[in-house]
Amino acid sequence: MNEHQDELDIIRDQARRFLDDAAQPEYLKTLFEQPGTLDRQTWKSAIELGWPAILHAEEHGGIGLGWSGLCVLAEELGRKAISLPLLMSASVARLVLNSGTGDVQKEIALSLVSGEQQACLVVQEEGDAGLALHPAVSYKDGKLDGQTAITAFAASADYALVPAQQDGVLHLVLVALNQSGVTRTLEATIDNSRAYAVLRFDAAVAHSLVSGDAAVAQLWEIASAAALVTAFEQLGGAQICLEMARDYALERKAFGQPIGRFQSIKSKLADMYVRIEIARGCALDALAALEHGDASWKALAAAARVGAIDAYEIAARENIQTHGAIGVTWEAMPHHHYRRSRALAVELGCAFVWRERLLNESGMGIGSPA
């Protein structure tokens, strides 16, 4: 039992009640229309509720509920297919606070903790499903040059954490996006509500937080933690897809009986349930290991990532199939989760990348973990 379980239960109940009111289907659909869209209405309310501070210690203005608190919120957001930059801002703020940088960077981190400003994470290489261990962005004399891959929330963020190379050495740098050396190109995707954009740097002023082997290790740590939190978001979406399919199967009738009585529908629902529970077990194990400082947490997070991709994609697809023709209409909800499942499946690297990571972390893959 988590020592903060009572507080986590309160946060979950609060989040579910708030999102039940905020996440109206008609409103959510408007977010799909325009590339680079951020749900600013819900983000403003999230700041008022203190959600951006949930991960961080009280000494930094946080609530102190750790990764468990962030995962609770991610799961509830996943149930409603709402996108907020909670994970990204929290990850960047945590790295800055732990890197021992100057007062300016600390001030930036505190603004992320409060939600006053937001950040995005650049973790993938352009045109590649893997992490940016050999990025196209260069860093020299405190300046960034080059272009990133499509990045979630890059269209709305105030800061970005960017992997960059200097003479073959990896750096993780913090860059302000509201400067003349940064160009944002909005990208239309299957899920425009995640504020996707490509960032172009032309002598943009930046600050290196960590470099060399430490940067490689830190990039994998950030990506692994992000994969774990995202797994809970995917689980929330998968669970609601199962519930939607179940409810429709009990309501819709064919040949004089609910379609839920047909073996083909029963098999779909059972398969969805099994995949969700397997992924949930992996995610809970990874979260427990992370919170207790168990070194196995990265391998467990990779397993959670693989399981959650599978569970959400299957659940979203089978939910549409269970609904039949109405499942693909603009008016119905199933396509919301199908869009989100496809976006989250590739955002931090595809399942293949995380299978390889799982094997490496377990000592069974080619090469060794970073």
Side-chain angles (χ1 to χ4, degrees), residues 167-353:
D167 300 325
V169 176
L170 182 70
H171 290 254
L172 295 184
V173 301
L174 182 68
V175 55
L177 300 182
N178 296 318
Q179 59 174 293
S180 59
V182 179
T183 303
R184 311 186 206 219
T185 302
L186 305 186
E187 294 287 343
T189 69
I190 195 171
D191 186 354
N192 287 324
S193 66
R194 292 189 67 76
Y196 287 111
V198 170
L199 300 175
R200 174 73 193 180
F201 304 112
D202 295 292
V205 177
H207 178 81
S208 178
L209 299 175
V210 61
S211 62
D213 291 342
V216 175
Q218 190 65 62
L219 180 59
W220 271 115
E221 182 167 326
I222 291 171
S224 297
L228 174 56
V229 177
T230 302
F232 277 92
E233 184 175 354
Q234 291 167 305
L235 282 168
Q239 182 64 39
I240 204 66
C241 285
L242 173 59
E243 294 172 10
M244 289 168 62
R246 176 203 63 196
D247 292 347
Y248 188 77
L250 293 174
E251 172 191 326
R252 179 76 167 88
K253 291 185 178 181
F255 304 106
Q257 60 183 324
I259 63 172
R261 291 188 177 181
F262 299 141
Q263 188 60 46
S264 60
I265 299 297
K266 291 180 181 179
S267 296
K268 288 181 187 294
L269 297 178
D271 184 44
M272 292 161 69
Y273 174 79
V274 169
R275 292 173 188 269
I276 290 169
E277 290 306 302
I278 290 173
R280 189 183 305 281
C282 292
L284 289 172
D285 284 348
L287 178 58
L290 174 58
E291 291 282 31
H292 289 92
D294 188 331
S296 68
W297 78 267
K298 292 178 187 176
L300 294 171
R305 169 69 174 164
V306 173
I309 289 174
D310 176 73
Y312 197 11
E313 290 201 293
I314 294 296
R317 187 179 69 201
E318 295 296 2
N319 184 31
I320 290 177
Q321 292 295 323
T322 301
H323 278 75
I326 196 173
V328 296
T329 61
W330 179 254
E331 292 74 18
M333 276 294 293
H335 73 90
H336 289 222
H337 287 284
Y338 184 75
R339 289 167 180 263
R340 182 59 45 78
S341 72
R342 296 301 305 141
L344 294 182
V346 298
E347 205 167 274
L348 296 168
C350 66
F352 174 79
V353 171

Side-chain angles (χ1 to χ4, degrees), residues 48-90:
E48 294 171 354
L49 291 168
W51 289 1
I54 197 164
L55 170 68
H56 306 286
E58 293 180 11
E59 64 189 87
H60 295 135
I63 297 176
L65 293 181
W67 292 106
S68 293
L70 193 56
C71 288
V72 164
L73 291 179
E75 187 170 359
E76 293 306 314
L77 290 168
R79 287 178 62 87
K80 292 297 184 179
I82 286 281
S83 284
L84 298 178
L86 288 174
L87 165 63
M88 295 70 183
S89 292

Side-chain angles (χ1 to χ4, degrees), residues 36-161:
T37 301
L38 173 69
D39 185 354
R40 296 188 182 277
Q41 176 179 311
T42 307
W43 178 243
K44 180 180 178 180
S45 297
I47 294 171
E48 294 171 354
L49 291 168
W51 289 1
I54 197 164
L55 170 68
H56 306 286
E58 293 180 11
E59 64 189 87
H60 295 135
I63 297 176
L65 293 181
W67 292 106
S68 293
L70 193 56
C71 288
V72 164
L73 291 179
E75 187 170 359
E76 293 306 314
L77 290 168
R79 287 178 62 87
K80 292 297 184 179
I82 286 281
S83 284
L84 298 178
L86 288 174
L87 165 63
M88 295 70 183
S89 292
S91 298
V92 174
R94 183 173 179 271
L95 175 60
V96 174
L97 290 170
N98 291 339
S99 63
T101 54
D103 291 340
V104 173
Q105 286 72 40
K106 184 176 180 180
E107 186 176 337
I108 291 171
L110 295 179
S111 74
L112 298 175
V113 172
S114 69
E116 177 186 348
Q117 295 181 300
Q118 55 179 277
C120 64
L121 286 172
V122 179
V123 295
Q124 289 178 255
E125 292 188 20
E126 186 176 13
D128 189 4
L131 265 63
L133 298 174
H134 306 285
V137 177
S138 64
Y139 178 68
K140 186 176 181 180
D141 298 328
K143 301 291 181 67
L144 279 183
D145 288 280
Q147 182 172 296
T148 71
I150 295 175
T151 301
F153 301 106
S156 60
D158 300 289
Y159 294 93
L161 182 68

